[in-house]
Amino acid sequence: MELRNLRAYAEVVRRGGFSAAAKTLYATQPTVSKAIKQLEDELGLPLLERSNQGVRMTQAGEVVYRRALTLLAERDSLLTELDEMRGLRRGELRLGIPPLGNDTVFAPMFAAYRAKYPEIDIRLFEQGSQNLEDSLMAGEIEIAGSLLPVSEAFEAQPVRREPLVVLLPLQHPAARLAKVKLEALKDTPFILFDKGFALNRTIIDGCQRRGFTPTEAARSGQIDFIVALVAAGMGLAMLPQMMAQERPRQDVATVLLDEPDMDWQMALIWRKGAFLSHAAQAWRQLASEMPHLKR
């Protein structure tokens, strides 16, 4: 079983099709199709169901996908560790960061890291938390930013904790309060983030623990647009306090969410048992030293 065929299969699943996978792998679509066919022939089972809507894993395909991620990650970890033992310094940090929080939390870290380690190249992957976790498992990146809690497949180093605040239209009954309980907001539509944002999971899980599922008014991946929708009266939104303070608006009320179990907790995560290069270890060390993260 060739690892390049497993990598091609993993990319087809993750990208949702052969064309997108080919672009990621810098290969032609026929080459990727041939790799999947070879893998299916070798295993004697179909791994993908193909249709006009894309591809979907068969039951056997799901098993192969999980194992492929593990095998690919182990290979990359092995090569990195051997390079370190040989004294090689590739000078590369393969880092993933989520869209939410990258400017406030990670931008100052990039500047400090570049000044301290100018010889290290940074390969940056900016994706939602679920995609970053898949990339970690596949060995495409070494370390990533994600919200706690994470699965037991990862180790984590907490970076910053912030309470959530509720953004409300000025006419909302809770707009004049200093803080508000989540249950008091159950009848107000929620403006959520796009699929893949870990903050959605925090918000929805928090509501369900309190006995209700939030009514969705809209979803977006742009913070400023979400704030504008609140101002227009479409519903409420939630942000980490520091991010809301960077976007003050006279037509939006900001009220502290009085639910400590729903705090926004950013962490650095990496695959449990993985070997971290010197570049990744330096990123972890820097995170523990940055003044804006000491909170």
Side-chain angles (χ1 to χ4, degrees):
M1 185 180 301
E2 297 189 16
L3 285 175
R4 67 171 177 267
N5 291 345
L6 287 174
R7 186 173 294 281
Y9 174 66
E11 285 301 321
V12 169
V13 173
R14 292 181 57 213
R15 307 301 173 187
F18 289 81
S19 178
K23 291 180 181 179
T24 302
L25 295 167
Y26 300 102
T28 64
Q29 187 168 334
T31 299
V32 175
S33 298
K34 182 179 179 181
I36 304 304
K37 182 66 165 56
Q38 288 176 344
L39 188 59
E40 290 179 323
D41 288 345
E42 183 178 1
L43 297 174
L45 289 168
L47 303 180
L48 296 172
E49 294 179 355
R50 301 155 175 84
S51 69
N52 293 333
Q53 286 72 42
V55 296
R56 186 170 66 88
M57 287 184 289
T58 63
Q59 187 174 0
E62 292 177 357
V63 173
V64 172
Y65 178 65
R66 292 196 303 270
R67 294 300 182 96
L69 292 181
T70 300
L71 289 170
L72 292 169
E74 287 293 341
R75 172 194 176 275
D76 291 343
S77 182
L78 170 63
L79 293 177
T80 299
E81 186 168 358
L82 290 175
D83 283 347
E84 296 286 345
M85 290 178 64
R86 296 188 190 102
L88 298 178
R89 296 293 179 266
R90 292 187 174 181
E92 181 179 83
L93 173 64
R94 291 178 290 123
L95 171 70
I97 61 171
L100 189 63
N102 56 13
D103 54 346
T104 305
V105 174
F106 293 110
M109 286 185 62
F110 276 105
Y113 191 86
R114 176 62 65 204
K116 195 170 184 179
Y117 306 104
E119 74 285 359
I120 294 180
D121 294 327
I122 302 176
R123 287 184 59 197
L124 183 61
F125 296 72
E126 186 179 4
Q127 299 175 359
S129 294
Q130 183 58 59
N131 285 339
L132 290 179
E133 290 180 9
D134 288 345
S135 294
L136 282 170
M137 294 303 295
E140 294 178 348
I141 56 177
E142 285 189 274
I143 194 164
S146 187
L147 292 190
L148 296 178
V150 292
S151 78
E152 294 182 355
F154 302 103
E155 296 184 58
Q157 173 183 326
V159 171
R160 176 148 179 164
R161 180 171 186 153
E162 285 279 325
L164 291 181
V165 296
V166 185
L167 307 182
L168 295 164
L170 294 181
Q171 64 273 22
H172 193 279
R176 296 179 179 272
L177 300 178
K179 56 185 179 181
V180 63
K181 287 287 188 182
L182 188 59
E183 188 175 359
L185 304 171
K186 64 182 180 181
D187 294 328
T188 304
F190 281 54
I191 302 167
L192 298 172
F193 288 90
D194 283 339
K195 182 180 179 182
F197 282 72
L199 183 55
N200 274 356
R201 181 176 60 204
T202 299
I203 295 170
I204 294 172
D205 287 352
C207 292
Q208 291 177 343
R209 287 197 302 272
R210 288 156 179 83
F212 72 98
T213 298
T215 301
E216 294 185 22
R219 289 195 179 215
S220 175
Q222 302 297 320
I223 297 179
D224 290 337
F225 184 58
I226 288 176
V227 176
L229 291 179
V230 173
M234 282 196 64
L236 66 83
M238 294 184 189
L239 284 177
Q241 187 175 49
M242 63 180 180
M243 297 179 198
Q245 290 172 343
E246 294 172 349
R247 297 167 173 83
R249 287 186 56 143
Q250 294 182 349
D251 52 358
V252 172
T254 303
V255 180
L256 183 67
L257 181 66
D258 189 17
E259 306 288 1
D261 67 311
M262 292 177 61
D263 282 357
W264 184 84
Q265 300 179 72
M266 178 60 67
L268 296 180
I269 66 170
W270 58 96
R271 188 171 57 86
K272 185 171 290 185
F275 178 84
L276 291 182
S277 68
H278 286 306
Q281 292 177 33
W283 183 260
R284 285 188 57 201
Q285 180 62 33
L286 182 65
S288 67
E289 298 171 353
M290 292 294 291
H292 79 292
L293 299 180
K294 296 183 182 298
R295 177 167 179 166

